[in-house]
Amino acid sequence: MVVRIMGLDPGLATLGFGIIECHTCEEARGGSLFSVMDFGAIQTEANQPLGDRLQTIYADLHTLLEQWQPDLVGVEKLFFYRMGNTIAVAQARGVLLLVLAQRHLPIFEFTPAQIKQALTGYGNAKKYQVQEAVARELNLQAIPQPDDAADALAIALATWFDHDRVSDSILS
C-alpha cells in the first residue's frame, strides 16, 4: 500500500510544505519505506496587503494539492508565543484549513510537542534534533531547507507514525 501525505507548517510569510509517500512492505518486517516527493515553502511579501498574501496562500496551496494529490494532510496546531505573529499565522492557517476542507482531505493536527515526540521520542527536543531526525528517517544527505520545509516534512512523518488514525482514515 502506498499513502501520499502532505505536511503543512502554517505561516503568513512562509508556509512550509512537504510531501512524502509511505510504502508499507513485507521486506521491512512490518515497517515502511519513505520517498520524498517534494518540499519547499509558499512565500508572501511583507509589503503586500494582507488579503493579497492570503490569496497567494490559497492559490498556491490549491496548485500543490492538484499537483500532488495527497491522501491525507498533517498540519501543525498553533503555538502561542507572540500575539502579533500568532494572529497572522492564525489567518493563514484558516485559509489553509479552508482549502483542505474544499478538497475533502482528512486532516491530522499535531502540537509542536507531539511532532517532536513522534520524531525524536522527546517532546521537548530542540529544533535541530527534529531536523536531524527528518533527514535520517527520509534518508536525505542534508537537512531540508528552508526550516519551514523541514518542519513540514516532520509533520508529514508524524502523521504517518500516527498509524491508528491513518489506518482508520484510509480504510473509511
Side-chain angles (χ1 to χ4, degrees), residues 15-35:
L15 187 152
F17 68 88
I19 298 102
I20 62 173
E21 278 191 350
C22 306
H23 310 264
T24 58
C25 65
E26 300 300 324
E27 303 86 47
R29 295 191 181 110
S32 52
L33 302 173
F34 304 109
S35 301

Side-chain angles (χ1 to χ4, degrees), residues 76 112-138 143-144 147 150-155 157-158:
E76 185 177 67
Q114 289 172 317
I115 296 162
K116 292 174 182 181
Q117 177 72 35
L119 273 283
T120 69
Y122 180 57
N124 287 322
K126 301 291 184 203
K127 189 174 193 75
Y128 77 89
Q129 293 172 307
V130 175
Q131 292 172 337
E132 288 174 346
V134 166
R136 185 175 51 254
E137 288 288 339
L138 296 174
I143 292 171
D147 287 352
D151 293 345
L153 288 168
I155 295 162
L157 284 167

Side-chain angles (χ1 to χ4, degrees), residues 23 36 45 55 62 93 102 108 111-112 121 126-127 170:
H23 310 264
V36 177
E45 297 296 326
Q55 193 169 4
H62 269 295
R93 191 172 184 278
Q102 289 174 330
F108 297 82
T111 65
K126 301 291 184 203
K127 189 174 193 75
I170 293 168

Side-chain angles (χ1 to χ4, degrees), residues 43-85:
Q43 308 257 336
T44 67
E45 297 296 326
N47 61 353
Q48 289 182 309
L50 176 62
D52 291 348
R53 295 175 83 181
L54 295 175
Q55 193 169 4
T56 296
I57 291 168
Y58 181 89
D60 288 359
L61 190 53
H62 269 295
T63 300
L64 284 169
L65 290 169
E66 186 64 33
Q67 178 182 359
W68 292 110
Q69 301 288 315
D71 299 303
L72 45 102
V73 180
V75 179
E76 185 177 67
K77 287 184 180 179
L78 278 182
F79 176 72
F80 298 94
Y81 58 99
R82 287 183 302 179
M83 186 51 79
N85 190 38

